């Protein structure tokens, strides 16, 4: 049975840690799902870790829908949350509604995530009223890096901390079912978590959140351009993949691959017949080649 937003809210009530991981493709989503991770986020971080951009800003709705569909095909049980890209929900309410609808209807996701607090409160209210579950995202909101002055921790000074708490309460009031807290100081995350009835899911926000989320490429050690301070690599797959690619290239060059074992056999008589001049197909082909040479 697929996890629902009710299950996620009940996990907070039971004090059970909520796990979320990103995934961007079918194979990875299937693995994450089989590991019993209840929430999969198709994060717009895919712009960086899959598409090679230096921020999430260039990511489009088409990119997101394409990857969401693949993840949904691989996730049989997890709640799939689609991350709304930059400026697909801020410009107008109809825009927010039609783009969120695409995630649910075309992409097959069960919820959407959007960045911001009070500034997007109306959008959250409208989407929830229309039956689209919304996950909020506060703190370091990567779509606003130019405004924030880079990928920096948020909420360390009193005004910022107060604003973040206020934003969290507004998102809850407007119907968000959970809130991601990114790069907020641990004591502030803990305070916000204690003030909310909906779960907080932290990334670089300390252990006091109701749940944790990580970017799968960091967890697997696949993305090596940089490793954020809050990330922990549980494997070093980039190195293993490079070794496999180098081994393949070397075996093809040295004729060690493919061998008989990887080849398809057939009745040698057929080949002999094809080689024979009497074969009508061979004769026709040779006649054609000869005509081509003459003309
Ligand atoms: O895009 C993403 O992967 C995210 C997570 C870091 C929360 O927003």
């Amino acid at each position: 049975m697929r996890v629902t937003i009710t299950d996620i809210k009940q996990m907070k009530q039971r004090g059970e840690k909520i796990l979320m991981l990103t995934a961007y493709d079918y194979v990875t989503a299937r693995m994450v799902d089989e590991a019993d991770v209840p929430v999969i986020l198709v994060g717009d971080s895919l712009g960086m870790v899959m598409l090679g951009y230096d921020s999430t800003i260039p990511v489009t709705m088409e990119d997101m829908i394409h990857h969401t569909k693949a993840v949904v095909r691989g996730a049989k049980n997890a709640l799939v949350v689609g991350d709304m890209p930059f400026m697909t929900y801020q410009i107008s309410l109809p825009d927010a509604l039609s783009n969120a609808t695409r995630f649910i209807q075309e992409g097959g996701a069960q919820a959407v995530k959007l960045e911001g607090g009070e500034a997007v409160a109306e959008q959250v209210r409208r989407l929830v009223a229309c039956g689209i579950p919304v996950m909020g995202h506060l703190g370091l909101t990567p779509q606003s890096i130019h405004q924030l002055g880079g990928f920096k921790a948020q909420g360390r000074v009193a005004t910022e901390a107060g604003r973040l708490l206020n934003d969290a309460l507004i998102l809850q009031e407007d119907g968000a079912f959970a809130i991601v807290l990114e790069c907020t100081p641990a004591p502030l995350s803990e305070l916000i978590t204690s003030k909310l009835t909906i779960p907080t899911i932290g990334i670089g926000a300390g252990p006091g959140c109701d749940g944790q989320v990580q970017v799968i490429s960091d967890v697997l050690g696949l993305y090596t351009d940089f490793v954020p301070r809050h990330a922990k690599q549980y494997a070093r797959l980039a190195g293993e993949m490079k070794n496999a690619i180098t081994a393949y290239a070397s075996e093809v060059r040295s004729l060690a691959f493919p061998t008989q074992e990887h080849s398809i056999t057939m009745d040698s008589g057929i080949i002999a017949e094809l080689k024979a001049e009497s074969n009508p197909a061979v004769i026709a082909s040779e006649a054609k080649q000869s005509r081509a040479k003459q003309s």
Side-chain angles (χ1 to χ4, degrees):
M1 275 257 289
R2 194 178 288 283
V3 174
T4 66
I5 62 163
T6 310
D7 297 325
I8 299 304
K9 289 194 256 187
Q10 283 172 352
M11 286 172 82
K12 172 166 179 137
Q13 287 158 15
R14 290 197 298 268
E16 200 179 317
K17 282 286 174 200
I18 300 162
L19 263 143
M20 180 159 91
L21 268 175
T22 68
Y24 315 106
D25 62 81
Y26 168 76
V27 173
T28 316
R30 212 173 60 180
M31 287 186 219
V32 174
D33 197 59
E34 285 171 2
D36 275 339
V37 172
V39 192
I40 298 182
L41 171 67
V42 189
D44 64 353
S45 49
L46 69 82
M48 299 174 78
V49 300
M50 300 295 288
L51 305 180
Y53 296 127
D54 60 6
S55 78
T56 58
I57 290 172
V59 175
T60 65
M61 273 303 293
E62 301 318 312
D63 294 332
M64 292 307 300
I65 296 296
H66 176 77
H67 287 272
T68 302
K69 282 178 171 174
V71 167
V72 168
R73 285 192 286 269
K76 301 284 171 257
N77 300 308
L79 176 85
V80 178
V81 182
D83 208 359
M84 297 192 70
F86 182 57
M87 285 301 152
T88 61
Y89 52 96
Q90 295 95 331
I91 295 169
S92 72
L93 279 183
D95 255 15
L97 197 51
S98 64
N99 287 322
T101 302
R102 285 192 67 192
F103 271 101
I104 308 295
Q105 207 167 39
E106 247 179 88
Q110 290 84 46
V112 296
K113 175 170 86 57
L114 45 82
E115 297 182 5
E118 195 172 5
V120 294
E122 246 187 303
Q123 284 86 331
V124 174
R125 247 193 332 270
R126 185 92 182 102
L127 298 189
V128 172
C130 290
I132 299 178
V134 177
M135 177 179 277
H137 185 158
L138 297 172
L140 168 50
T141 45
Q143 292 172 12
S144 309
I145 44 157
H146 298 314
Q147 181 66 30
L148 301 176
F151 293 98
K152 290 181 181 161
Q154 299 295 310
R156 296 173 92 174
V157 297
T159 47
E160 271 179 16
R163 184 176 43 76
L164 284 171
L165 174 58
N166 192 44
D167 278 343
L169 291 167
I170 289 172
L171 288 176
Q172 171 171 274
E173 179 68 25
D174 287 327
F177 73 93
I179 300 175
V180 168
L181 294 178
E182 180 163 352
C183 294
T184 48
L188 175 63
S189 314
E190 206 175 323
L191 175 73
I192 294 174
T193 302
S194 73
K195 297 275 182 199
L196 297 178
T197 54
I198 58 168
T200 58
I201 304 183
I203 175 162
C209 295
D210 296 304
Q212 295 293 326
V213 55
Q214 285 285 303
V215 168
I216 190 78
S217 324
D218 293 333
V219 169
L220 300 179
L222 268 176
Y223 182 70
T224 51
D225 288 12
F226 68 90
V227 181
R229 181 164 163 242
H230 56 69
K232 181 168 173 186
Q233 293 185 324
Y234 289 83
R236 299 264 197 279
L237 293 196
E240 286 207 32
M241 287 168 81
K242 263 190 242 158
N243 289 344
I245 294 163
T246 308
Y248 162 73
S250 142
E251 287 204 355
V252 170
R253 288 188 187 112
S254 69
L255 310 183
F257 177 86
T259 61
Q260 276 299 110
E261 188 196 338
H262 310 102
S263 304
I264 300 160
T265 56
M266 67 182 285
D267 183 347
S268 58
I270 298 172
I271 296 297
E273 201 181 305
L274 280 172
K275 281 181 180 166
E277 280 189 357
S278 59
N279 184 295
V282 174
I283 293 167
S285 154
E286 281 172 359
K288 199 171 159 194
Q289 278 173 22
S290 147
R291 275 198 304 279
K293 267 190 209 148
Q294 282 163 18
S295 60

